[in-house]
Amino acid sequence: MSSRSSTSTVLIIIILIFTFPIWFSIGAALFGAMAGIFGALIGVVGAIFGLLVAAIALPFKLIFGWGSCDMGFDWHPAVWLLLLVVAAALIRRK
């Protein structure tokens, strides 16, 4: 019985040594997939944060002309303010 148990242990060790590249690569692939999914989630959160900041900053840029982006026309910020007041008055009248 003793030799049979020892042969079984040696066989298990040999199988583990020969299959090491397979189970190591499977584990590494799973780890990489989890890291990639985590990175994608961080990217989505960052994109949502950037969208919210842009939505808050856009009215100030349109009204006061802040920022360095040239939109193709040079209206004075007072014109935007006047248009905003007129639009608010029209909406309020209805």
Side-chain angles (χ1 to χ4, degrees):
M1 275 303 208
S2 176
S3 67
R4 188 173 190 187
S5 175
S6 136
T7 307
S8 178
T9 305
V10 170
L11 184 62
I12 290 174
I13 290 174
I14 290 174
I15 289 173
L16 286 176
I17 289 173
F18 283 122
T19 61
F20 172 77
I22 295 171
W23 54 265
F24 182 78
S25 62
I26 290 172
L30 290 174
F31 178 77
M34 289 187 316
I37 289 171
F38 183 69
L41 289 175
I42 289 176
V44 168
V45 169
I48 291 172
F49 179 75
L51 178 71
L52 293 175
V53 169
I56 291 170
L58 181 66
F60 293 102
K61 176 167 177 39
L62 291 177
I63 293 171
F64 300 113
W66 296 343
S68 61
C69 181
D70 185 17
M71 297 189 343
F73 48 85
D74 292 326
W75 286 9
H76 193 274
V79 175
W80 286 110
L81 185 59
L82 179 65
L83 288 174
L84 183 66
V85 169
V86 169
L90 288 176
I91 291 172
R92 207 164 189 185
R93 247 184 26 182
K94 289 185 178 183

